[in-house]
Amino acid sequence: MKNQSVKNNIDWISVFIYISLVILGWLNIYSSSLLSTEGTYQKQLIFIGCTIPLIFVVLFVDGKFYEKYATIIFGVSLLSLAGLFLFGKTIAGQRCWYAIGSFTLQPSEFAKAATSLALAKYLSDTQINLKDTNRQIQALAIVFLPVLLILPQPDPGSALIYSIFIVVLYREGLPSWYVWTGFITILLFVLTLVLEPYVVILIALGVLTIIHFKGRVVDRNIILSGILLLIISGFVFSVDYVFDNVFKQHHRDRFNILLGKSVDMKGIGYNTNQSEIAIGSGGWIGKGFLEGTQTKGGFVPEQHTDYIFTTVGEEWGFAGSLVVVALFVGLFLRVIYLAERQKTKFSRVYGYCVAGILFTHFFVNIAMVIGIFPTIGVPLPFFSYGGSGLWGFTILLFIFLKMDANKVNEW
């Protein structure tokens, strides 16, 4: 069956979930900013209105345009990130925005779609084999170029999102040791912050000993095990230096509070503490729309942006939170399903990038709000206040829906 129009072929299930999330997001922004004098919910309504022509433009453009010009789009995105160091506006210590009058635009929100297109374009080359070291370096360079421009802004939250591209690369053939190395590095870093370095090294020694005697023949190389132990030991003893000299004070404070090493409920831990109180007070069914006492009292700072989920928890309770989570999970699974049925590698890889970016934002934001992840400023897709975030996520999703609508379906 050949393609007809985008109207007939677009995945309306994804569109319905998108619309539902945007509407629910605005309702929560309305509730959390009702007493504000800054016109937050009115501005968000304007941002939502602007997504309508934006969606039409994305869907109007031929799907092959995104593949043909992926490299150029990525290049323009990198230039927009680099331009912040000369022309960017600093807000709350971060140089992440271009200012046009009272309107600000955050290019890092659009860079995620551009990076996804560039990575999909690179991997769709029939000659690409991620078992080759040079190809691995080139693919990782595409991922880390925007990260190198985003980190100094400083915007560690946006930079963190790019880690999900490693999983996408693994899906396309990147050796699994990259994923395991990343996971083990994070685990060792956290363990070293909690335990003494020599205890962590003893644990590593025990694990390597078990692998040596219980693993496959290839794992029983005592020289390799010794080298790994030396590398691990060097990394473990460097953690304290990195933590004390590379991390900023507010980052150290957030980690210390998260790991229970310090308590500061009136200072750096105030946001998370108030967020947990608000969510916990919602109970099973919530206090009701516009009835949240923590929300009305303005006890949770930045509640309409990074902490918007606290409004859901307080006013809609566990049941309402479950509905919102179910909508997000439904969208992730739907995008993955659509990605798997694509006819081209380009659109499949891009689809996985879309699902990965949305999921990482969702997971980190919710984990941050409920206190199991440090506060790093990651918005909840389609929910958090802001035009750049809403437009960036909309472009990201609807480019993929355009690709999906353009493919030839087989029945």
Side-chain angles (χ1 to χ4, degrees):
M1 178 180 178
K2 293 186 177 181
N3 284 333
Q4 298 172 11
S5 65
V6 171
K7 177 182 177 182
N8 292 333
N9 291 329
I10 195 169
D11 185 66
W12 288 105
I13 295 177
S14 298
V15 174
F16 172 77
I17 297 175
Y18 165 81
I19 293 173
S20 300
L21 289 172
V22 170
I23 292 173
L24 292 175
W26 183 82
L27 289 174
N28 282 276
I29 291 172
Y30 176 81
S31 179
S32 64
S33 61
L34 185 60
L35 301 179
S36 171
T37 59
E38 298 180 1
T40 303
Y41 65 88
Q42 296 99 322
K43 292 178 182 177
Q44 187 69 9
L45 196 59
I46 295 173
F47 297 150
I48 292 172
C50 291
T51 62
I52 297 174
L54 184 63
I55 289 171
F56 277 108
V57 170
V58 171
L59 295 179
F60 177 78
V61 174
D62 186 83
K64 293 183 179 179
F65 170 88
Y66 301 110
E67 181 174 6
K68 183 177 180 180
Y69 295 102
T71 305
I72 295 176
I73 294 171
F74 182 59
V76 171
S77 176
L78 292 178
L79 288 175
S80 71
L81 291 172
L84 288 170
F85 297 105
L86 295 175
F87 309 108
K89 179 179 181 179
T90 301
I91 301 176
Q94 293 181 307
R95 201 176 183 86
C96 302
W97 295 268
Y98 288 109
I100 306 172
S102 60
F103 174 75
T104 57
L105 196 68
Q106 188 174 1
S108 62
E109 295 295 348
F110 304 95
K112 296 160 192 171
T115 305
S116 299
L117 288 171
L119 192 62
K121 174 68 173 177
Y122 180 76
L123 295 178
S124 62
D125 189 325
T126 55
Q127 304 302 316
I128 295 298
N129 182 355
L130 288 179
K131 301 299 181 184
D132 181 84
T133 303
N134 289 332
R135 297 299 190 183
Q136 294 170 14
I137 294 172
Q138 291 166 7
L140 291 172
I142 293 173
V143 174
F144 287 111
L145 276 174
V147 172
L148 293 175
L149 293 172
I150 291 171
L151 273 176
Q153 293 177 4
D155 188 4
S158 293
L160 174 66
I161 302 301
Y162 285 77
S163 62
I164 195 61
F165 286 115
I166 303 299
V167 178
V168 176
L169 289 171
Y170 171 69
R171 165 66 177 77
E172 297 301 323
L174 188 73
S176 61
W177 69 264
Y178 279 94
V179 178
W180 282 109
T181 300
F183 174 78
I184 292 171
T185 300
I186 294 171
L187 181 61
L188 287 172
F189 185 86
V190 174
L191 282 176
T192 306
L193 293 179
V194 177
L195 305 172
E196 293 294 330
Y198 70 88
V199 175
V200 178
I201 293 172
L202 285 175
I203 294 173
L205 176 61
V207 172
L208 289 173
T209 301
I210 293 172
I211 292 174
H212 179 75
F213 288 104
K214 298 293 185 181
R216 300 167 298 174
V217 175
V218 73
D219 297 324
R220 296 178 183 172
N221 188 325
I222 192 168
I223 296 177
L224 177 61
S225 297
I227 293 173
L228 285 175
L229 184 61
L230 286 175
I231 294 173
I232 291 172
S233 300
F235 175 78
V236 167
F237 282 113
S238 71
V239 167
D240 284 341
Y241 176 83
V242 172
F243 189 70
D244 293 334
N245 296 279
V246 177
F247 280 46
K248 294 184 179 297
Q249 183 60 49
H250 63 278
H251 293 145
R252 295 197 294 270
D253 292 338
R254 287 166 181 170
F255 268 101
N256 287 332
I257 290 171
L258 179 68
L259 298 173
K261 297 176 70 174
S262 65
V263 178
D264 185 14
M265 295 308 180
K266 293 184 179 180
I268 197 72
Y270 178 81
N271 287 29
T272 302
N273 182 51
Q274 292 299 321
S275 173
E276 292 173 357
I277 292 173
I279 292 175
S281 67
W284 287 99
I285 59 174
K287 298 176 181 177
F289 183 55
L290 302 179
E291 298 299 326
T293 53
Q294 294 290 113
T295 298
K296 277 188 173 181
F299 290 103
V300 183
E302 306 300 330
Q303 190 167 1
H304 59 291
T305 54
D306 299 338
Y307 283 83
I308 190 65
F309 194 74
T310 60
T311 308
V312 179
E314 182 179 25
E315 297 190 348
W316 300 7
F318 178 79
S321 299
L322 191 61
V323 169
V324 172
V325 169
L327 284 171
F328 273 109
V329 172
L331 182 60
F332 307 147
L333 295 177
R334 187 65 183 175
V335 171
I336 291 173
Y337 165 75
L338 296 177
E340 281 296 330
R341 71 175 192 176
Q342 296 304 301
K343 306 302 179 185
T344 67
K345 188 175 182 179
F346 174 80
S347 55
R348 185 186 75 234
V349 173
Y350 182 80
Y352 269 97
C353 290
V354 173
I357 290 169
L358 293 177
F359 171 77
T360 307
H361 267 275
F362 164 81
F363 177 80
V364 173
N365 181 272
I366 300 297
M368 177 184 72
V369 167
I370 63 178
I372 62 174
F373 203 86
T375 301
I376 54 173
V378 172
L380 186 60
F382 314 121
F383 256 70
S384 295
Y385 169 80
S388 297
L390 177 62
W391 297 336
F393 290 126
T394 298
I395 291 171
L396 178 76
L397 176 62
F398 277 87
I399 286 178
F400 177 63
L401 294 183
K402 171 65 176 183
M403 293 178 187
D404 181 67
N406 269 10
K407 77 181 188 312
V408 177
N409 296 314
E410 294 181 353
W411 297 86

